Amino acid sequence: ASLEEPVHRRARRGRSALTDGTVRRSERRDRLVMAAADITAMMIFSTALCMMIEIFIARLTFFQSVQARIAAIPVNLITGRPYGWFRDRLFTFLGIDRTMPLKMIGGDTLAFVIFQVPLYVIVLLFAGATWKQIAVSSAFMSLIFSLAGRPYGIFLDLCRNLARRVLMSLRDRDTVSGELLPETGEEETP
């Protein structure tokens, strides 16, 4: 800052930079909470659905199914948020919004099948399933993923709505207690 610059401009610019830092911190927190919602939805939904199919349809043993679900943990952790992003972009590309229930069904179904079937094959390979088991399970899972696409979309939206409530609660808490400066942890004064 130049010494010739009026003091009120330097102060305003400094306050703006601090506000920007607080906003960036808040945006980072928002993105992390929403990513956690996407990952949580993926973990819960895929564990419940896949174990039932692996055990009762594909005839994997309980131990093989548990191995597959353990192998799926890193996959779900890595792909939970990218799936949410992929679904959002697919909906935008196809022009789907919340007022079009039939398009939502189609979009969720398409997104789920395209994204999930290849990942499912990889998980079964790591779990030690035979090629026959993989073929049977993947063919059946394509059908199940088609049927599960919209329920998963609803569950994902539910998790995201819960995450938004958490964020609103955090924002309310920040507003009541005063915003903290990101670098110092001190309360910002006007």
Side-chain angles (χ1 to χ4, degrees):
S2 166
L3 292 178
E4 289 86 36
E5 183 180 24
V7 172
H8 70 278
R9 272 199 197 140
R10 284 195 312 257
R12 191 176 10 188
R13 192 178 68 239
R15 205 175 7 239
S16 171
L18 292 174
T19 302
D20 288 348
T22 302
V23 168
R24 281 193 302 268
R25 183 188 77 211
S26 177
E27 288 172 354
R28 267 193 311 267
R29 178 184 65 196
D30 292 1
R31 284 193 306 269
L32 284 172
V33 169
M34 295 310 290
D38 285 1
I39 292 166
T40 300
M42 182 70 71
M43 297 285 289
I44 293 170
F45 194 86
S46 70
T47 298
L49 179 67
C50 293
M51 281 192 83
M52 286 189 294
I53 291 165
E54 291 161 358
I55 293 169
F56 298 114
I57 305 299
R59 296 290 186 210
L60 269 66
T61 66
F62 179 78
F63 183 71
Q64 283 177 312
S65 183
V66 168
Q67 281 183 308
R69 296 304 93 219
I70 290 170
I73 290 172
V75 174
N76 289 331
L77 287 173
I78 293 167
T79 62
R81 181 61 191 134
Y83 174 78
W85 180 88
F86 172 76
R87 176 183 178 252
D88 294 342
R89 295 307 166 272
L90 182 67
F91 276 33
T92 300
F93 178 75
L94 296 175
I96 298 170
D97 64 33
R98 303 277 172 221
T99 64
M100 307 170 161
L102 289 177
K103 282 192 172 185
M104 297 250 334
I105 292 168
D108 274 331
T109 299
L110 185 62
F112 207 63
V113 171
I114 290 172
F115 197 91
Q116 295 298 332
V117 170
L119 295 176
Y120 186 70
V121 170
I122 292 168
V123 167
L124 290 179
L125 282 170
F126 279 110
T130 66
W131 283 108
K132 181 180 178 184
Q133 289 172 323
I134 291 171
V136 168
S137 190
S138 295
F140 190 77
M141 284 305 284
S142 295
L143 174 64
I144 295 300
F145 285 154
S146 295
L147 297 173
R150 184 60 190 140
Y152 179 69
I154 292 168
F155 185 67
L156 177 60
D157 288 340
L158 171 74
C159 289
R160 286 176 168 185
N161 287 335
L162 290 172
R164 283 185 192 96
R165 287 185 187 160
V166 167
L167 288 172
M168 285 190 300
S169 171
L170 291 172
R171 286 185 197 120
D172 289 346
R173 186 199 68 195
D174 289 346
T175 302
V176 169
S177 67
E179 287 291 330
L180 298 180
L181 300 179
E183 291 80 21
T184 63
E186 299 172 354
E187 195 168 310
E188 181 177 350
T189 55

